[in-house]
Amino acid sequence: MTHIEHQPLDHGIFGPGSVTWKVYRCPTSMTVGFARTALTEMFDPLVVASVAGTGSLRERASDRYDRTLEYAGALVLGDSATAARMADTLMRIHSTVGGTDPVTGQHYDPNDPAGQLWIHLTQWQSVLHVYERFGPGRLSAEEERQYWAECAVAARFQTIDPADVPRDRAEMRAYYERVRPDLVVSDVAVEHALLVLEGGNLASRLPGRLRVLSPLVHRVLRRATIATLPAWMREAIGTRQGPVTDALVTALVRPALRLAARRPRALARVLAEASPRAYEVLAPAVLDIAPERAETVTVEEAFRRLGRPLPREQHLAAVAGAADGGRAKQAS
């Protein structure tokens, strides 16, 4: 039996009338979309350096997946207080992490806006791509404009300048083309991408008597994730999966995820088993639990209520403080 630990305070930043909720409440986002996001992120050398530096994916992969899905779900589907608190907490944690990437020799900072933009956009593009492939299909032109506008709103939970967020599919493709030369297929990137591929589909951890099917579901979702990857990424991870397997797995997964979308209580039970932390923030939206206040809140207002500056303001202040400290040291 699933349960909700608390009633949400409000509809969060976007609410049930948004395209974000339409896309992210679909089971595609919590399964293949999440796995594709986490895998793709690993090819940014500074992002993977910060992940590898903590050892979290190697040593406690399940916990990391659960926490990452909890965080991503809170920002788009959780109430405004939870979203702001989680974003602020991650900002503070990231401020204590940094170092030098052994592959490129560059300094990495998890709060760096360029790295945060990569993580943000790979998530929003991956979730949409998987929604269109395995879910209801392509958004309308108006829905797509709204989706990317909402993507820019969500960027305010991070250190990103919202002006840098693509406003449509063409701008998203241009972004990928621009950053592609900076991506690195290193041993550590491939290692972490494969770790994600092997363990990233939390939905394969089925509850109760269905648990016997978990290995089969895992193999299918693994192949479904590969089916969404570009050719260069497939080559990097050493898979020979071709178009025939892509077509077969799509024909199998699409109706299964569409059925799951019509069975929200069953989906919630899978979430509770597979990702208990994420369940607490995702279940109210999945199950249409009414909040205390039927309202949406801006990111700015959510942080004002928390009594904290926006993440970008915190980052710019930290950069300015470091520069002042450096100049003072030189002067002395």
Side-chain angles (χ1 to χ4, degrees):
M1 177 71 67
T2 56
H3 65 283
I4 304 299
E5 293 294 338
H6 64 273
Q7 182 184 25
L9 297 175
D10 50 45
H11 284 308
I13 308 303
F14 301 106
S18 66
V19 179
T20 293
W21 271 45
K22 177 179 180 177
V23 173
Y24 275 87
R25 285 205 295 182
C26 184
T28 55
S29 71
M30 305 166 203
T31 54
V32 182
F34 171 65
R36 186 187 194 271
T37 296
L39 189 156
T40 303
E41 288 174 359
M42 294 303 134
F43 290 97
D44 182 297
L46 302 187
V47 170
V48 77
S50 65
V51 173
T54 66
S56 59
L57 196 56
R58 292 189 184 102
E59 299 165 9
R60 50 187 189 279
S62 296
D63 182 60
R64 181 178 175 85
Y65 296 144
D66 192 5
R67 288 176 181 274
T68 303
L69 184 57
E70 176 193 28
Y71 174 80
L75 267 54
V76 295
L77 297 176
D79 64 37
S80 61
T82 300
R85 175 176 51 80
M86 286 196 175
D88 189 66
T89 299
L90 187 62
M91 177 81 190
R92 297 191 200 203
I93 293 172
H94 279 173
S95 68
T96 67
V97 179
T100 300
D101 173 27
V103 176
T104 64
Q106 299 179 62
H107 175 76
Y108 63 83
D109 171 7
N111 283 330
D112 177 68
Q116 296 244 315
L117 182 64
W118 167 255
I119 292 171
H120 184 65
L121 294 182
T122 53
Q123 175 188 314
W124 281 71
Q125 190 273 332
S126 291
V127 166
L128 179 59
H129 177 76
V130 172
Y131 174 89
E132 293 181 333
R133 182 172 190 131
F134 296 114
R138 188 157 179 157
L139 298 176
S140 69
E142 178 56 35
E143 286 176 327
E144 187 172 333
R145 282 192 292 272
Q146 185 178 341
Y147 181 80
W148 290 109
E150 291 168 358
C151 176
V153 170
R156 299 188 72 81
F157 278 118
Q158 296 169 272
T159 61
I160 301 164
D161 183 347
D164 293 335
V165 176
R167 292 309 197 267
D168 55 37
R169 198 179 300 257
E171 289 188 11
M172 186 67 225
R173 283 196 296 268
Y175 169 79
Y176 272 147
E177 290 172 3
R178 189 166 64 253
V179 301
R180 177 68 180 88
D182 297 325
L183 304 182
V184 175
V185 182
S186 63
D187 290 343
V188 69
V190 172
E191 175 198 3
H192 281 71
L194 290 173
L195 285 170
V196 170
L197 188 59
E198 290 304 322
N201 272 300
L202 296 173
S204 62
R205 300 172 193 166
L206 302 177
R209 288 176 293 179
L210 295 176
R211 192 169 292 122
V212 68
L213 298 175
S214 293
L216 174 61
V217 173
H218 174 77
R219 287 196 293 273
V220 171
L221 291 177
R222 182 183 187 278
R223 292 190 177 277
T225 302
I226 294 172
T228 68
L229 300 179
W232 73 267
M233 206 173 288
R234 297 186 193 209
E235 181 179 352
I237 63 175
T239 180
R240 295 185 177 181
Q241 181 170 311
V244 173
T245 302
D246 290 354
L248 288 173
V249 77
T250 299
L252 179 63
V253 171
R254 182 184 290 143
L257 290 180
R258 288 181 177 179
L259 177 62
R262 297 195 295 270
R263 301 287 188 274
R265 292 196 174 277
L267 176 60
R269 285 195 295 273
V270 172
L271 278 170
E273 174 72 21
S275 190
R277 296 181 66 94
Y279 169 80
E280 294 297 333
V281 298
L282 293 174
V286 169
L287 296 173
D288 278 324
I289 303 297
E292 294 180 18
R293 300 188 296 271
E295 64 176 3
T296 57
V297 177
T298 66
V299 178
E300 291 82 356
E301 176 62 15
F303 273 85
R304 188 195 67 78
R305 293 178 183 180
L306 186 65
R308 294 285 295 165
L310 288 168
R312 182 166 177 79
E313 294 171 353
Q314 295 182 47
H315 177 70
L316 292 176
V319 170
D324 289 343
R327 284 192 291 268
K329 186 175 181 179
Q330 288 180 345
S332 64

Short mmCIF file of all heavy atoms in Angstrom, two decimals, residues 2 18 105 113 150 157 166 180-181 185 195 197 215 217 224 270 294 300 317:
data_model
loop_
_atom_site.label_atom_id
_atom_site.label_comp_id
_atom_site.label_asym_id
_atom_site.label_seq_id
_atom_site.Cartn_x
_atom_site.Cartn_y
_atom_site.Cartn_z
N THR A 2 0.67 2.13 -0.97
CA THR A 2 1.43 3.37 -1.03
C THR A 2 0.77 4.41 -0.13
O THR A 2 -0.40 4.33 0.20
CB THR A 2 1.48 3.89 -2.47
OG1 THR A 2 0.15 4.04 -2.95
CG2 THR A 2 2.26 2.94 -3.36
N SER A 18 0.12 23.17 -17.14
CA SER A 18 1.34 23.44 -17.90
C SER A 18 1.71 22.29 -18.83
O SER A 18 1.31 21.14 -18.60
CB SER A 18 2.50 23.72 -16.95
OG SER A 18 2.81 22.54 -16.21
N GLY A 105 42.46 18.58 -17.36
CA GLY A 105 43.28 19.50 -16.59
C GLY A 105 42.56 20.77 -16.20
O GLY A 105 43.16 21.68 -15.62
N PRO A 113 27.78 27.91 -14.34
CA PRO A 113 26.58 28.02 -15.17
C PRO A 113 26.64 27.19 -16.45
O PRO A 113 25.60 26.65 -16.88
CB PRO A 113 26.50 29.52 -15.49
CG PRO A 113 27.18 30.18 -14.34
CD PRO A 113 28.31 29.25 -13.96
N GLU A 150 8.90 27.29 -20.45
CA GLU A 150 8.90 26.77 -19.08
C GLU A 150 10.27 26.22 -18.70
O GLU A 150 10.68 26.28 -17.53
CB GLU A 150 7.80 25.72 -18.93
CG GLU A 150 6.41 26.32 -18.99
CD GLU A 150 5.29 25.31 -19.14
OE1 GLU A 150 5.57 24.10 -19.24
OE2 GLU A 150 4.11 25.73 -19.16
N PHE A 157 16.15 27.88 -11.08
CA PHE A 157 16.50 27.08 -9.91
C PHE A 157 17.99 26.78 -9.86
O PHE A 157 18.47 26.21 -8.88
CB PHE A 157 15.74 25.75 -9.93
CG PHE A 157 14.33 25.85 -9.42
CD1 PHE A 157 13.26 25.56 -10.24
CD2 PHE A 157 14.08 26.20 -8.10
CE1 PHE A 157 11.96 25.63 -9.77
CE2 PHE A 157 12.78 26.27 -7.62
CZ PHE A 157 11.72 25.98 -8.46
N PRO A 166 17.63 27.59 -24.84
CA PRO A 166 16.96 27.56 -26.15
C PRO A 166 15.46 27.78 -26.03
O PRO A 166 14.85 27.37 -25.03
CB PRO A 166 17.28 26.16 -26.69
CG PRO A 166 18.53 25.76 -25.98
CD PRO A 166 18.43 26.37 -24.61
N ARG A 180 29.20 20.18 -28.83
CA ARG A 180 29.68 18.83 -29.19
C ARG A 180 31.20 18.73 -29.20
O ARG A 180 31.76 17.72 -28.69
CB ARG A 180 29.10 18.43 -30.55
CG ARG A 180 29.58 17.07 -31.08
CD ARG A 180 29.07 15.92 -30.26
NE ARG A 180 29.54 14.66 -30.77
CZ ARG A 180 30.68 14.07 -30.42
NH1 ARG A 180 31.46 14.64 -29.52
NH2 ARG A 180 31.03 12.92 -30.93
N PRO A 181 31.95 19.71 -29.73
CA PRO A 181 33.42 19.58 -29.72
C PRO A 181 34.03 19.54 -28.32
O PRO A 181 35.16 19.07 -28.15
CB PRO A 181 33.89 20.83 -30.48
CG PRO A 181 32.72 21.23 -31.32
CD PRO A 181 31.52 20.90 -30.50
N VAL A 185 34.88 11.64 -24.86
CA VAL A 185 34.63 10.21 -24.67
C VAL A 185 35.84 9.62 -23.95
O VAL A 185 36.69 8.96 -24.55
CB VAL A 185 34.36 9.49 -26.01
CG1 VAL A 185 34.05 8.02 -25.77
CG2 VAL A 185 33.22 10.16 -26.75
N LEU A 195 27.49 2.66 -16.09
CA LEU A 195 26.89 2.51 -14.76
C LEU A 195 25.44 3.00 -14.77
O LEU A 195 24.55 2.37 -14.18
CB LEU A 195 27.69 3.29 -13.72
CG LEU A 195 29.02 2.68 -13.28
CD1 LEU A 195 29.81 3.69 -12.45
CD2 LEU A 195 28.80 1.40 -12.49
N LEU A 197 23.49 3.20 -17.47
CA LEU A 197 22.73 2.32 -18.34
C LEU A 197 22.33 1.03 -17.61
O LEU A 197 21.23 0.51 -17.81
CB LEU A 197 23.54 1.99 -19.59
CG LEU A 197 22.81 1.24 -20.71
CD1 LEU A 197 21.62 2.03 -21.21
CD2 LEU A 197 23.78 0.94 -21.85
N PRO A 215 14.20 -8.53 -13.92
CA PRO A 215 15.33 -8.65 -14.86
C PRO A 215 14.91 -8.44 -16.31
O PRO A 215 15.63 -7.80 -17.08
CB PRO A 215 15.83 -10.08 -14.62
CG PRO A 215 15.40 -10.39 -13.22
CD PRO A 215 14.08 -9.72 -13.05
N VAL A 217 12.24 -6.69 -17.41
CA VAL A 217 11.90 -5.28 -17.59
C VAL A 217 13.17 -4.43 -17.68
O VAL A 217 13.25 -3.51 -18.50
CB VAL A 217 11.00 -4.79 -16.44
CG1 VAL A 217 10.76 -3.29 -16.52
CG2 VAL A 217 9.66 -5.52 -16.47
N ALA A 224 15.62 0.16 -24.61
CA ALA A 224 14.82 1.33 -24.97
C ALA A 224 15.65 2.60 -24.81
O ALA A 224 15.56 3.52 -25.64
CB ALA A 224 13.57 1.40 -24.12
N VAL A 270 5.06 1.34 -8.17
CA VAL A 270 6.40 1.08 -8.70
C VAL A 270 7.37 2.13 -8.19
O VAL A 270 8.50 1.83 -7.77
CB VAL A 270 6.39 1.05 -10.24
CG1 VAL A 270 7.81 0.97 -10.80
CG2 VAL A 270 5.58 -0.13 -10.74
N ALA A 294 -4.57 25.89 -4.18
CA ALA A 294 -4.58 25.61 -5.62
C ALA A 294 -3.98 26.79 -6.37
O ALA A 294 -4.66 27.54 -7.07
CB ALA A 294 -6.01 25.33 -6.09
N GLU A 300 11.04 33.13 -8.14
CA GLU A 300 11.48 34.25 -7.31
C GLU A 300 10.71 34.29 -5.99
O GLU A 300 11.30 34.49 -4.91
CB GLU A 300 11.29 35.57 -8.06
CG GLU A 300 12.22 35.75 -9.24
CD GLU A 300 11.74 35.03 -10.50
OE1 GLU A 300 10.70 34.32 -10.46
OE2 GLU A 300 12.42 35.16 -11.53
N ALA A 317 27.57 36.32 -6.50
CA ALA A 317 28.15 36.91 -5.29
C ALA A 317 29.40 36.15 -4.86
O ALA A 317 30.39 36.75 -4.43
CB ALA A 317 27.11 36.90 -4.17
#
